[in-house]
Amino acid sequence: MPQEVRIQLRRPQEEDRDVVFEKWASDPEVTKYMAWATHRCRDDFDAFIALSDGTWDAFDYGPVIIEDLVTGEVIGSAGLLFDDSEEVGVGYILRKEYWGKGYATEALRLSIDAARDLGVKRLVAGIHPAHIASRNVCKKCGFAIDEEKPAGRFIFPQIDPDNESYTVRYILDLGDDIVEENE
């Protein structure tokens, strides 16, 4: 039985600045396991919107805002991060009051659907080893620990701003789900 969809994903807009800053990007507890620094001012949003716009312009998808379908409330962000490889990064972050209610799993599933629609063959999530809740979200969505490739090393500024930490590298192969045009 399909699960009810409670959220939608949409492209970030300048109008999201205040809610992103106030509700999660400036909260050290929410951003603890992020590989970006907790926002100190609303202008830090400019880097996010520039990254988002560049990614959307190049790939027709990118970072997204998570919006509650019933209330229209902005509850977090998620999305796909492209680079020059065939792997596409995926991530998510939610306001504290939405933790533990299945919204991260739902946002990740919608991001997986978007990746499939775009023809992405492999999704990758690099997660700090201590972020058990996020690791569980990946597992629920079919990701597995990548046994072949080493984990990435990132600085997690809220944990240790001077030293890199290894991440646990989770992968989801979508290649089998994509039907080639010649078939």
Side-chain angles (χ1 to χ4, degrees):
M1 172 150 79
Q3 220 175 8
E4 177 186 353
V5 177
R6 302 173 292 168
I7 60 172
Q8 66 180 357
L9 306 180
R10 65 164 174 80
R11 186 175 177 166
Q13 305 165 4
E14 288 290 335
E15 295 78 29
D16 296 318
R17 175 189 305 268
D18 288 343
V19 72
V20 169
F21 178 78
E22 292 169 9
K23 298 296 184 176
W24 71 85
S26 65
D27 185 332
E29 185 180 358
V30 174
T31 61
K32 178 178 182 179
Y33 295 114
M34 297 294 118
W36 45 269
T38 302
H39 291 188
R40 303 287 179 230
C41 65
R42 283 173 173 74
D43 289 343
D44 289 339
F45 180 81
D46 294 342
F48 170 71
I49 203 75
L51 168 73
S52 175
D53 285 346
T55 305
W56 275 88
D57 291 348
F59 300 99
D60 290 328
Y61 203 84
V64 292
I65 292 293
I66 306 168
E67 203 171 63
D68 184 291
L69 276 174
V70 174
T71 66
E73 192 166 10
V74 173
I75 66 172
S77 61
L80 304 177
L81 297 171
F82 297 84
D83 60 21
D84 292 334
S85 74
E86 290 194 15
E87 297 178 336
V88 174
V90 65
Y92 42 85
I93 186 169
L94 292 173
R95 294 165 49 171
K96 250 188 296 202
E97 60 266 36
Y98 290 92
W99 290 0
K101 297 178 181 175
Y103 287 101
T105 303
E106 193 172 332
L108 182 54
R109 285 185 176 137
L110 290 174
S111 293
I112 292 167
D113 291 345
R116 281 190 179 108
D117 291 346
L118 292 165
V120 171
K121 291 186 175 35
R122 182 178 245 205
L123 288 174
V124 178
I127 301 173
H128 191 282
H131 197 350
I132 303 303
S134 193
R135 293 176 67 178
N136 287 337
V137 167
C138 280
K139 289 177 195 172
K140 283 183 204 173
C141 291
F143 283 73
I145 293 176
D146 188 346
E147 302 292 344
E148 296 177 17
K149 234 178 175 179
R153 290 176 54 94
F154 294 93
I155 290 180
F156 291 87
Q158 290 67 248
I159 296 172
D160 186 351
D162 299 320
N163 295 296
E164 292 182 335
S165 298
Y166 280 103
T167 62
V168 179
R169 181 180 156 90
Y170 283 87
I171 57 168
L172 180 64
D173 285 316
L174 301 174
D176 295 338
D177 296 341
I178 300 168
V179 177
E180 296 294 328
E181 288 183 36
N182 296 334
E183 290 183 37

Short mmCIF file of all heavy atoms in Angstrom, two decimals, residues 129-164:
data_model
loop_
_atom_site.label_atom_id
_atom_site.label_comp_id
_atom_site.label_asym_id
_atom_site.label_seq_id
_atom_site.Cartn_x
_atom_site.Cartn_y
_atom_site.Cartn_z
N PRO A 129 29.71 9.42 10.86
CA PRO A 129 29.43 8.13 11.51
C PRO A 129 28.52 8.21 12.74
O PRO A 129 27.77 7.28 13.02
CB PRO A 129 30.82 7.62 11.92
CG PRO A 129 31.79 8.41 11.14
CD PRO A 129 31.14 9.68 10.74
N ALA A 130 28.56 9.32 13.46
CA ALA A 130 27.74 9.45 14.66
C ALA A 130 26.30 9.85 14.37
O ALA A 130 25.46 9.84 15.27
CB ALA A 130 28.37 10.48 15.60
N HIS A 131 25.97 10.15 13.13
CA HIS A 131 24.62 10.59 12.78
C HIS A 131 23.75 9.37 12.47
O HIS A 131 23.41 9.08 11.32
CB HIS A 131 24.66 11.56 11.60
CG HIS A 131 23.43 12.37 11.43
ND1 HIS A 131 22.25 12.15 12.12
CD2 HIS A 131 23.17 13.43 10.63
CE1 HIS A 131 21.35 13.02 11.75
NE2 HIS A 131 21.88 13.82 10.84
N ILE A 132 23.39 8.66 13.51
CA ILE A 132 22.67 7.39 13.40
C ILE A 132 21.30 7.58 12.73
O ILE A 132 20.90 6.77 11.89
CB ILE A 132 22.50 6.73 14.79
CG1 ILE A 132 23.87 6.51 15.44
CG2 ILE A 132 21.70 5.43 14.69
CD1 ILE A 132 24.84 5.68 14.63
N ALA A 133 20.58 8.65 13.07
CA ALA A 133 19.25 8.85 12.49
C ALA A 133 19.34 8.97 10.97
O ALA A 133 18.54 8.37 10.24
CB ALA A 133 18.60 10.10 13.08
N SER A 134 20.32 9.71 10.47
CA SER A 134 20.46 9.87 9.03
C SER A 134 20.90 8.57 8.37
O SER A 134 20.45 8.24 7.26
CB SER A 134 21.46 10.99 8.73
OG SER A 134 21.40 11.36 7.38
N ARG A 135 21.75 7.83 9.03
CA ARG A 135 22.17 6.53 8.49
C ARG A 135 20.96 5.61 8.36
O ARG A 135 20.82 4.88 7.38
CB ARG A 135 23.25 5.91 9.38
CG ARG A 135 24.55 6.74 9.34
CD ARG A 135 25.59 6.22 10.28
NE ARG A 135 26.03 4.89 9.83
CZ ARG A 135 26.97 4.20 10.42
NH1 ARG A 135 27.59 4.68 11.49
NH2 ARG A 135 27.32 3.02 9.97
N ASN A 136 20.06 5.65 9.35
CA ASN A 136 18.85 4.82 9.30
C ASN A 136 17.91 5.24 8.17
O ASN A 136 17.28 4.40 7.54
CB ASN A 136 18.13 4.86 10.64
CG ASN A 136 18.87 4.07 11.71
OD1 ASN A 136 19.66 3.16 11.40
ND2 ASN A 136 18.65 4.42 12.96
N VAL A 137 17.82 6.54 7.91
CA VAL A 137 16.99 7.03 6.80
C VAL A 137 17.50 6.44 5.49
O VAL A 137 16.72 5.95 4.67
CB VAL A 137 16.98 8.58 6.75
CG1 VAL A 137 16.41 9.08 5.43
CG2 VAL A 137 16.20 9.14 7.93
N CYS A 138 18.81 6.48 5.30
CA CYS A 138 19.38 5.90 4.06
C CYS A 138 19.06 4.43 3.93
O CYS A 138 18.68 3.96 2.86
CB CYS A 138 20.89 6.14 4.01
SG CYS A 138 21.33 7.79 3.46
N LYS A 139 19.21 3.69 5.01
CA LYS A 139 18.92 2.26 4.97
C LYS A 139 17.45 2.00 4.62
O LYS A 139 17.15 1.11 3.83
CB LYS A 139 19.26 1.61 6.32
CG LYS A 139 20.74 1.53 6.60
CD LYS A 139 20.98 0.96 7.98
CE LYS A 139 22.40 1.19 8.44
NZ LYS A 139 22.60 0.79 9.85
N LYS A 140 16.53 2.79 5.20
CA LYS A 140 15.11 2.63 4.90
C LYS A 140 14.81 2.84 3.42
O LYS A 140 13.86 2.27 2.89
CB LYS A 140 14.27 3.63 5.70
CG LYS A 140 14.07 3.30 7.13
CD LYS A 140 13.17 4.37 7.75
CE LYS A 140 13.39 4.43 9.24
NZ LYS A 140 12.66 5.56 9.83
N CYS A 141 15.62 3.68 2.79
CA CYS A 141 15.39 4.02 1.38
C CYS A 141 16.20 3.15 0.43
O CYS A 141 16.25 3.43 -0.77
CB CYS A 141 15.71 5.50 1.16
SG CYS A 141 14.51 6.59 1.95
N GLY A 142 16.82 2.09 0.94
CA GLY A 142 17.50 1.14 0.08
C GLY A 142 18.98 1.38 -0.13
O GLY A 142 19.62 0.64 -0.88
N PHE A 143 19.56 2.37 0.50
CA PHE A 143 20.99 2.62 0.38
C PHE A 143 21.76 1.56 1.18
O PHE A 143 21.25 1.02 2.15
CB PHE A 143 21.36 3.99 0.95
CG PHE A 143 21.03 5.15 0.07
CD1 PHE A 143 19.73 5.56 -0.12
CD2 PHE A 143 22.05 5.86 -0.56
CE1 PHE A 143 19.42 6.65 -0.92
CE2 PHE A 143 21.75 6.94 -1.37
CZ PHE A 143 20.43 7.35 -1.54
N ALA A 144 22.98 1.29 0.74
CA ALA A 144 23.85 0.36 1.44
C ALA A 144 25.22 1.03 1.60
O ALA A 144 25.58 1.92 0.82
CB ALA A 144 24.01 -0.93 0.65
N ILE A 145 25.96 0.60 2.59
CA ILE A 145 27.32 1.11 2.77
C ILE A 145 28.15 0.65 1.59
O ILE A 145 28.10 -0.51 1.18
CB ILE A 145 27.91 0.62 4.10
CG1 ILE A 145 27.15 1.24 5.27
CG2 ILE A 145 29.40 0.96 4.18
CD1 ILE A 145 27.59 0.74 6.64
N ASP A 146 28.90 1.57 1.01
CA ASP A 146 29.75 1.27 -0.13
C ASP A 146 31.00 0.55 0.38
O ASP A 146 31.84 1.14 1.06
CB ASP A 146 30.14 2.57 -0.85
CG ASP A 146 30.87 2.32 -2.15
OD1 ASP A 146 31.31 1.19 -2.40
OD2 ASP A 146 30.99 3.29 -2.93
N GLU A 147 31.10 -0.72 0.07
CA GLU A 147 32.24 -1.53 0.50
C GLU A 147 33.44 -1.39 -0.43
O GLU A 147 34.54 -1.79 -0.10
CB GLU A 147 31.82 -3.00 0.60
CG GLU A 147 30.66 -3.27 1.53
CD GLU A 147 30.98 -3.04 3.00
OE1 GLU A 147 32.16 -2.97 3.37
OE2 GLU A 147 30.02 -2.92 3.78
N GLU A 148 33.22 -0.84 -1.64
CA GLU A 148 34.28 -0.78 -2.65
C GLU A 148 35.09 0.51 -2.64
O GLU A 148 36.26 0.52 -2.95
CB GLU A 148 33.67 -0.99 -4.04
CG GLU A 148 33.06 -2.36 -4.20
CD GLU A 148 32.40 -2.53 -5.55
OE1 GLU A 148 32.68 -1.74 -6.47
OE2 GLU A 148 31.60 -3.47 -5.68
N LYS A 149 34.45 1.60 -2.33
CA LYS A 149 35.10 2.90 -2.38
C LYS A 149 35.30 3.44 -0.98
O LYS A 149 34.42 3.30 -0.13
CB LYS A 149 34.22 3.88 -3.17
CG LYS A 149 34.93 4.56 -4.30
CD LYS A 149 33.98 5.46 -5.04
CE LYS A 149 34.74 6.22 -6.09
NZ LYS A 149 33.89 7.09 -6.86
N PRO A 150 36.43 4.07 -0.73
CA PRO A 150 36.65 4.60 0.63
C PRO A 150 35.70 5.75 0.93
O PRO A 150 35.24 6.45 0.04
CB PRO A 150 38.10 5.08 0.58
CG PRO A 150 38.40 5.29 -0.86
CD PRO A 150 37.54 4.33 -1.63
N ALA A 151 35.45 5.91 2.20
CA ALA A 151 34.61 7.01 2.65
C ALA A 151 35.32 8.33 2.39
O ALA A 151 36.54 8.39 2.35
CB ALA A 151 34.31 6.84 4.13
N GLY A 152 34.54 9.36 2.23
CA GLY A 152 35.11 10.70 2.05
C GLY A 152 35.54 11.29 3.37
O GLY A 152 35.14 10.83 4.44
N ARG A 153 36.38 12.29 3.27
CA ARG A 153 36.81 13.02 4.46
C ARG A 153 36.35 14.46 4.31
O ARG A 153 36.58 15.07 3.28
CB ARG A 153 38.32 12.96 4.59
CG ARG A 153 38.84 11.58 4.95
CD ARG A 153 40.36 11.55 4.98
NE ARG A 153 40.95 12.54 5.84
CZ ARG A 153 41.28 12.34 7.12
NH1 ARG A 153 41.10 11.16 7.65
NH2 ARG A 153 41.81 13.31 7.84
N PHE A 154 35.69 14.97 5.33
CA PHE A 154 35.16 16.32 5.30
C PHE A 154 35.40 16.98 6.65
O PHE A 154 35.53 16.31 7.66
CB PHE A 154 33.64 16.32 5.05
CG PHE A 154 33.27 15.83 3.69
CD1 PHE A 154 32.97 14.50 3.48
CD2 PHE A 154 33.23 16.70 2.61
CE1 PHE A 154 32.62 14.04 2.22
CE2 PHE A 154 32.89 16.24 1.35
CZ PHE A 154 32.59 14.92 1.16
N ILE A 155 35.42 18.28 6.63
CA ILE A 155 35.41 19.02 7.89
C ILE A 155 33.95 19.24 8.27
O ILE A 155 33.15 19.71 7.46
CB ILE A 155 36.16 20.36 7.75
CG1 ILE A 155 37.65 20.09 7.61
CG2 ILE A 155 35.87 21.27 8.95
CD1 ILE A 155 38.52 21.31 7.46
N PHE A 156 33.62 18.87 9.47
CA PHE A 156 32.30 19.13 10.03
C PHE A 156 32.51 20.27 11.03
O PHE A 156 32.90 20.03 12.17
CB PHE A 156 31.73 17.88 10.70
CG PHE A 156 31.37 16.81 9.71
CD1 PHE A 156 32.31 15.89 9.28
CD2 PHE A 156 30.08 16.75 9.19
CE1 PHE A 156 31.98 14.92 8.35
CE2 PHE A 156 29.74 15.78 8.26
CZ PHE A 156 30.70 14.86 7.84
N PRO A 157 32.27 21.51 10.60
CA PRO A 157 32.67 22.68 11.39
C PRO A 157 32.07 22.74 12.79
O PRO A 157 32.67 23.30 13.69
CB PRO A 157 32.21 23.87 10.56
CG PRO A 157 31.76 23.36 9.27
CD PRO A 157 31.65 21.88 9.35
N GLN A 158 30.88 22.17 12.96
CA GLN A 158 30.25 22.22 14.28
C GLN A 158 30.84 21.18 15.23
O GLN A 158 30.70 21.30 16.44
CB GLN A 158 28.74 22.00 14.16
CG GLN A 158 27.97 23.13 13.51
CD GLN A 158 28.27 23.35 12.04
OE1 GLN A 158 28.85 24.37 11.71
NE2 GLN A 158 27.91 22.43 11.17
N ILE A 159 31.50 20.16 14.70
CA ILE A 159 32.08 19.10 15.53
C ILE A 159 33.56 19.36 15.79
O ILE A 159 34.02 19.35 16.92
CB ILE A 159 31.86 17.72 14.88
CG1 ILE A 159 30.36 17.42 14.81
CG2 ILE A 159 32.60 16.63 15.65
CD1 ILE A 159 30.01 16.18 14.04
N ASP A 160 34.32 19.58 14.72
CA ASP A 160 35.75 19.85 14.82
C ASP A 160 36.17 20.69 13.62
O ASP A 160 36.45 20.15 12.55
CB ASP A 160 36.54 18.55 14.87
CG ASP A 160 38.03 18.77 15.12
OD1 ASP A 160 38.49 19.92 15.09
OD2 ASP A 160 38.74 17.77 15.35
N PRO A 161 36.20 22.01 13.79
CA PRO A 161 36.47 22.89 12.64
C PRO A 161 37.90 22.81 12.11
O PRO A 161 38.17 23.33 11.03
CB PRO A 161 36.17 24.28 13.20
CG PRO A 161 36.31 24.16 14.67
CD PRO A 161 35.95 22.74 15.01
N ASP A 162 38.79 22.13 12.82
CA ASP A 162 40.19 22.09 12.42
C ASP A 162 40.64 20.77 11.81
O ASP A 162 41.75 20.67 11.29
CB ASP A 162 41.09 22.42 13.62
CG ASP A 162 40.82 23.82 14.16
OD1 ASP A 162 40.62 24.73 13.33
OD2 ASP A 162 40.79 23.97 15.39
N ASN A 163 39.81 19.75 11.91
CA ASN A 163 40.23 18.42 11.45
C ASN A 163 39.13 17.76 10.62
O ASN A 163 37.95 17.87 10.94
CB ASN A 163 40.57 17.52 12.64
CG ASN A 163 41.77 18.03 13.39
OD1 ASN A 163 42.86 18.09 12.84
ND2 ASN A 163 41.57 18.45 14.63
N GLU A 164 39.57 17.03 9.60
CA GLU A 164 38.63 16.28 8.79
C GLU A 164 38.17 15.03 9.51
O GLU A 164 38.91 14.44 10.30
CB GLU A 164 39.28 15.87 7.47
CG GLU A 164 39.56 17.03 6.54
CD GLU A 164 40.17 16.58 5.23
OE1 GLU A 164 40.80 15.49 5.18
OE2 GLU A 164 40.01 17.31 4.24
#
